Amino acid sequence: MSKGLLISVSGPSGTGKGTVLDKVKQQDPDFGTSVSVTTRAPREGETEGVEYYFRTREQFMSMFEEGEILEYDEFVGNLYGTPTIPLQEMSDNGTDVLLDLTIAGSMALKENFEQSVTIFLLPPSFSELENRLRGRGTEDEAHVAARLEMARQEIDYAPRFDYVVVNKDADEAARQIMSIITAEKCRYIRNSGIEKTI
Ligand code: 5GP
């Protein structure tokens, strides 16, 4: 059986990754989800084990040292990491997994897994990004400013990704991601020898 794809979507925060990924999952509910570990505090409405596993920095680092976290990154003062075993199990079982990672996270995935597919989600413009960050209302001004500054630096990394999608409209962006996944699944390398089986 061929391994499930590890599809990682990165992009500046406020670009709408969460919404777009939810729409992709609605179009195909069979995607697996990787629940990350984080040292940030839960936001209102977030539940342990659903959005994240919430851990202290000490607990996080000891998980990393034990090999339980395969990649991690620091984002606006907090650590975020991908648990190793669930991701490997899902991919080994042929399940395609969608991941919402920082740029460094997507790069780590690309280095370590040949079944990875990295997608950079771009906002339509900086002014739109700023509106979305402020409109979200969950961050204070300092965090909005930090995220905007980070966005300017992050956009320079787009060329290192396999694909780029501009999120003008979340439904259209989700459709484009589905098309990317469909094309990736048809790559000969992922179906090698199939011509001998027909
Ligand atoms: P938030 O605090 O808004 O939920 O997430 C902040 C950032 O952390 C997002 O850009 C998200 O992509 C990233 N993130 C979430 N989980 C992981 C992870 O396991 N690894 C990495 N590298 N980034 C993550």
Side-chain angles (χ1 to χ4, degrees):
M1 193 207 305
S2 67
K3 288 190 173 178
L5 297 176
L6 303 177
I7 306 126
S8 167
V9 180
S10 296
S13 81
T15 305
K17 277 179 296 180
T19 310
V20 171
L21 287 177
D22 284 346
K23 286 180 185 288
V24 173
K25 281 178 209 157
Q26 281 163 20
Q27 289 185 32
D28 186 344
D30 291 338
F31 283 116
T33 306
S34 168
V35 179
S36 297
V37 187
T38 184
T39 62
R40 93 154 156 69
R43 294 190 186 123
E44 213 181 308
E46 287 184 333
T47 309
E48 163 72 13
V50 178
E51 286 82 11
Y52 287 104
Y53 296 106
F54 298 97
R55 296 291 181 269
T56 63
R57 204 168 256 261
E58 292 69 31
Q59 289 169 329
F60 188 104
M61 289 319 294
S62 98
M63 285 177 78
F64 180 69
E65 277 150 26
E66 297 294 322
E68 294 170 30
I69 291 177
L70 68 86
E71 66 73 35
Y72 78 92
D73 196 8
E74 182 146 4
F75 181 83
V76 198
N78 294 301
L79 303 179
Y80 296 82
T82 306
T84 312
I85 300 212
L87 191 72
Q88 276 170 347
E89 280 181 356
M90 285 188 279
S91 185
D92 289 349
N93 293 337
T95 302
D96 299 323
V97 186
L98 285 171
L99 299 110
D100 172 350
L101 302 180
T102 58
I103 288 166
S106 282
M107 296 299 96
L109 205 71
K110 198 170 155 72
E111 263 169 42
N112 290 302
F113 297 95
E114 49 86 29
Q115 72 271 37
S116 69
V117 179
T118 56
I119 303 173
F120 198 92
L121 193 66
L122 276 171
S125 67
F126 271 108
S127 57
E128 179 60 29
L129 182 66
E130 191 167 349
N131 289 342
R132 289 182 193 176
L133 281 173
R134 287 191 205 288
R136 193 152 74 173
T138 53
E139 311 292 340
D140 58 32
E141 274 302 306
H143 271 92
V144 170
R147 287 188 183 222
L148 272 175
E149 177 48 34
M150 183 174 280
R152 291 188 188 280
Q153 295 169 17
E154 284 181 330
I155 278 170
D156 291 342
Y157 286 84
R160 301 200 195 178
F161 281 68
D162 299 324
Y163 296 93
V164 66
V165 169
V166 178
N167 184 20
K168 276 201 204 79
D169 171 80
D171 288 303
E172 176 57 17
R175 275 194 294 275
Q176 289 185 6
I177 290 175
M178 286 301 296
S179 303
I180 290 167
I181 295 167
T182 304
E184 282 288 333
K185 289 171 95 69
C186 294
R187 283 173 71 119
Y188 182 80
I189 196 162
R190 306 201 200 285
N191 296 277
S192 128
I194 196 167
E195 71 281 10
K196 299 191 182 81
T197 68
I198 59 165

